[in-house]
Amino acid sequence: MRTITTTQELAEFCTAAAAHDYVTVDTEFLRERTYYSKLCLIQLAMPGEDDSTACLVDPLAKGISLEPLYDLFRDTSVVKVFHAARQDLEIFYVDAQVFPEPLFDTQVAAMVCGFGEQVGYETLVRRIAKKPLDKTSRFTDWSRRPLTDAQKSYALADVTHLRVIYEFLAEKLEETGRSRWVNEELSVLTSHETYVVAPQEAWRRVKTRTNSPRFLAVVRELAAFREEFAQERNIPRNRVYKDDALVELASNKPKTIEELGRSRLLLREARRGDIAEGILKAVSDGVACAAEQMPQPDRSRDKLQVNPALADLLRVLLKSKTESAGVAAKLIAPAADLDAIAAGVRDVPALKGWRREVFGEDALLLCEGKIALTAEGATVRIVRLD
């Protein structure tokens, strides 16, 4: 198993890879103790039948630069193939602000080819490559050196089997004309906004039971401080304080260190020093926030008049359309979006792009009374109404 530890070796491999139509890519990383993922290993494979056209790249090797790999990522003549690429792409975006182009994600492709929702790599290896996959090294410490032979074998399998999976899915997409569907989904993965966490927007990820604007203003300031503190020190946000502690602080609104010390959920380290001072300032800023600057919860769907019978019909239509198309129903529309459509909302993903072709057009016709549904045995059929 070839392991690359120098920039020159990496450049030679990437030059060879640039002569092929595609290269498969995977990474191993750690994130338990840091805010940003720590890249520990990169796996690459060119087309081939064995391990001879694959390699491991050690990004922790002294003096190595990943720029040759990033040059390959920028080479639009070579498809870069990943499985479940989001976390891998985040690593490369944070490190070099680069996205692999063009990109192919086998998880996304498998979903639109009828393999179910968020299908795992192991499942695709078993069903497409017809090979077993040893996952015993999955939860090892990839930052420790030297790597064991078991770790190397596990890591390399993540890109060698991926070649067969890619070729199968690419052919399937070509046959069905669904390549555009995959490209629409991948546009989100290659958007800068996907990987930039703005501290002032971090509050939107915190689940609360209270939607009072004043309460949310305090939540916003506490979440923003936590995000900035974690980013600056490269530590997990939960190491600053967890969501349940944040909500408790927003409810109790401590004004002094003494009051802060009464928190039941706050970590000991957060009751003093920079974190404690940051918490008290965030609470103070949230309490003092002007009414017009307070965050407003999204209540656009709170008072929707959902037609329950129509919502049920939309569920039947969705099941019928996705079964015939071989696409997971949840990939098209969650239950909440079906209820929204039944209430008259039209700004939902199911009514846009490729989802509209599969389901959205008929969903609108059903809402307008222009089609009906009928059952023939176990099959649901659409009847056009004059």
Side-chain angles (χ1 to χ4, degrees):
M1 288 173 283
R2 181 183 180 187
T3 300
I4 289 175
T5 58
T6 69
T7 307
Q8 180 61 35
E9 289 178 296
L10 179 59
E12 291 171 359
F13 184 91
C14 291
T15 297
H20 295 276
D21 293 334
Y22 71 86
V23 60
T24 55
V25 189
D26 192 36
T27 68
E28 305 299 339
F29 56 87
L30 296 178
R31 199 170 189 170
E32 290 80 8
R33 297 184 294 272
T34 57
Y35 182 91
Y36 300 105
S37 296
K38 179 180 180 180
L39 182 60
C40 299
L41 193 68
I42 304 168
Q43 304 98 280
L44 302 170
M46 295 179 276
E49 301 295 329
D50 54 30
D51 293 353
S52 64
T53 56
C55 74
L56 305 175
V57 181
D58 187 354
L60 303 182
K62 185 176 181 180
I64 193 171
S65 168
L66 298 182
E67 194 56 36
L69 176 62
Y70 296 147
D71 285 340
L72 180 62
F73 282 178
R74 298 182 186 102
D75 185 344
T76 57
S77 69
V78 183
V79 178
K80 272 63 73 171
V81 182
F82 292 75
H83 180 82
R86 192 189 186 288
Q87 288 186 301
D88 302 314
L89 299 189
E90 181 180 19
I91 291 171
F92 298 129
Y93 177 74
V94 170
D95 185 57
Q97 291 75 56
V98 63
F99 288 120
E101 185 182 3
L103 170 70
F104 190 98
D105 189 321
T106 55
Q107 184 178 71
V108 175
M111 284 193 289
V112 302
C113 287
F115 284 86
E117 185 184 9
Q118 293 184 331
V119 61
Y121 180 67
E122 185 177 5
T123 299
L124 294 182
V125 171
R126 187 176 63 253
R127 293 177 62 180
I128 297 176
K130 310 297 184 184
K131 300 285 186 180
L133 195 63
D134 182 7
K135 304 294 286 186
T136 55
S137 296
R138 182 177 182 182
F139 297 109
T140 59
D141 185 349
W142 293 99
S143 67
R144 297 187 65 178
R145 295 295 184 270
L147 295 173
T148 66
D149 288 343
Q151 284 178 304
K152 292 179 180 180
S153 295
Y154 164 85
L156 210 60
D158 279 348
V159 287
T160 52
H161 296 317
L162 195 56
R163 298 177 296 198
V164 178
I165 294 169
Y166 164 67
E167 291 173 3
F168 175 89
L169 292 174
E171 183 177 352
K172 188 85 168 176
L173 291 171
E174 187 66 28
E175 290 174 358
T176 58
R178 296 182 179 182
S179 296
R180 180 172 54 81
W181 297 12
V182 173
N183 291 335
E184 282 186 32
E185 296 300 297
L186 294 182
S187 65
V188 176
L189 287 178
T190 54
S191 169
H192 298 273
E193 289 75 16
T194 301
Y195 306 100
V196 175
V197 180
Q200 283 298 314
E201 296 298 315
W203 68 277
R204 299 184 186 278
R205 295 196 308 268
V206 180
K207 295 181 180 179
T208 67
R209 294 183 179 180
T210 303
N211 284 328
S212 158
R214 179 69 62 190
F215 171 81
L216 291 179
V218 181
V219 170
R220 179 181 63 190
E221 298 306 318
L222 285 167
F225 164 70
R226 179 178 67 173
E227 208 69 27
E228 291 172 352
F229 192 93
Q231 288 178 356
E232 289 171 1
R233 290 160 178 79
N234 194 24
I235 60 174
R237 62 176 66 89
N238 283 345
R239 284 268 300 276
V240 185
Y241 41 82
K242 297 182 179 180
D243 281 3
D244 55 358
L246 188 155
V247 172
E248 180 192 47
L249 292 168
S251 300
N252 296 339
K253 301 177 183 62
K255 298 182 180 65
T256 66
I257 292 291
E258 182 181 1
E259 291 180 1
L260 190 64
R262 297 178 190 145
S263 169
R264 294 184 304 109
L265 302 174
L266 201 60
L267 297 172
R268 183 181 305 166
E269 294 78 7
R271 300 168 188 258
R272 60 181 183 271
D274 292 343
I275 298 179
E277 292 178 10
I279 289 173
L280 295 178
K281 184 179 185 305
V283 170
S284 176
D285 289 347
V287 170
C289 180
E292 63 273 13
Q293 295 178 339
M294 292 180 185
Q296 298 297 323
D298 182 5
R299 292 196 170 98
S300 60
R301 296 190 179 185
D302 287 356
K303 297 181 180 180
L304 291 179
Q305 299 298 312
V306 179
N307 181 330
L310 178 56
D312 287 342
L313 286 173
L314 286 168
R315 285 167 169 76
V316 174
L317 176 65
L318 177 64
K319 188 173 188 299
S320 173
K321 299 292 286 187
T322 53
E323 283 182 353
S324 62
V327 181
K330 288 184 179 179
L331 183 62
I332 302 291
D337 282 2
L338 296 178
D339 289 340
I341 295 171
V345 176
R346 296 296 178 258
D347 186 22
V348 296
L351 302 180
K352 300 174 183 177
W354 68 269
R355 290 174 172 83
R356 186 181 180 105
E357 298 175 25
V358 176
F359 168 74
E361 289 286 359
D362 283 334
L364 291 174
L365 292 175
L366 183 64
C367 293
E368 295 166 4
K370 295 180 179 180
I371 62 172
L373 303 177
T374 183
E376 294 184 10
T379 302
V380 173
R381 299 194 183 280
I382 295 173
V383 178
R384 304 284 168 177
L385 302 177
D386 294 332

